[in-house]
Amino acid sequence: MNKRTWLRLAALAAIAGGAIWAWTGAHISLMPPGDPGAGVYRDTHSFMTRLGLGMALVTVGMTGVYASLRAPGRWTTGAYVAAAAGSLLYGVGTLVRSDMDMSVQFDPLQPLGFVLAMIGSLGFAARLTRSRDVPAWVKALLWVGAVSMVLFNDQFVTSWAAVPFGLSWVAIGGYLALQTGKKGE
């Protein structure tokens, strides 16, 4: 598969994954908030599979951003690998919980994967801050996405953070799609 085709697929994945996160986050956020201290939780189990799929697609989009870099360096590669590994763990944890009809109240794969994906996303955004390979607005969107991911919690008002996370990846997917039209790629 040539680079242009790969970037197109990564662009579509980023757009789809971002849209899934934005839509699902808005849907969750419109539900009454939970109060875990009082033992009241939002019933978000039915949304977890969508968020897992969205996370996997966003990670494919991140792979496209990574592939578009000329010389990523060790730290950027490490941050990308951490984000991708975290996304994989999150996805596996989501599938495990889905297979058990979400009856497992605490599955360590899903939260550990999400934390690792957050750390990797923050590191990826930080490392690309000085890069000349991507425009400043893409760097800003990577930061918006990473910080929104850190703020996201499906039980509180911070569930709205899924919307800017998703929309930032929709826009990054648009950037990747524009990259496929460049001559010489």
Side-chain angles (χ1 to χ4, degrees):
M1 180 182 313
N2 66 25
K3 187 173 182 178
R4 179 178 281 174
T5 303
W6 172 243
L7 286 176
R8 283 184 182 147
L9 290 174
L12 289 173
I15 291 168
I20 289 169
W21 264 82
W23 179 76
T24 303
H27 196 153
I28 290 170
S29 298
L30 293 172
M31 298 169 63
D35 184 5
V40 178
Y41 295 92
R42 278 183 177 158
D43 184 13
T44 59
H45 293 124
S46 62
F47 298 103
M48 291 301 136
T49 305
R50 276 188 252 161
L51 291 176
L53 173 63
M55 180 71 76
L57 291 170
V58 162
T59 302
V60 172
M62 183 183 280
T63 304
V65 174
Y66 179 79
S68 72
L69 302 174
R70 284 187 284 258
R74 286 183 301 184
W75 288 102
T76 305
T77 300
Y80 161 73
V81 168
S87 178
L88 178 66
L89 284 175
Y90 180 78
V92 169
T94 299
L95 289 174
V96 166
R97 291 185 76 194
S98 296
D99 190 47
M100 297 179 167
D101 197 26
M102 296 297 180
S103 61
V104 177
Q105 291 302 311
F106 183 73
D107 171 49
L109 293 178
Q110 196 175 31
L112 287 174
F114 197 73
V115 168
L116 187 58
M118 282 190 296
I119 292 167
S121 293
L122 285 168
F124 193 70
R127 292 305 300 168
L128 288 185
T129 300
R130 295 183 7 220
S131 172
R132 295 173 198 235
D133 293 340
V134 293
W137 65 271
V138 172
K139 296 173 193 178
L141 288 172
L142 286 168
W143 273 109
V144 167
V147 170
S148 296
M149 188 181 203
V150 170
L151 295 175
F152 176 75
N153 185 316
D154 66 338
Q155 294 300 312
F156 304 110
V157 71
T158 57
S159 60
W160 281 107
V163 175
F165 173 79
L167 293 178
S168 67
W169 278 100
V170 168
I172 292 168
Y175 162 75
L176 290 172
L178 291 174
Q179 293 303 102
T180 63
K182 285 186 170 181
K183 290 186 177 184
E185 284 283 320

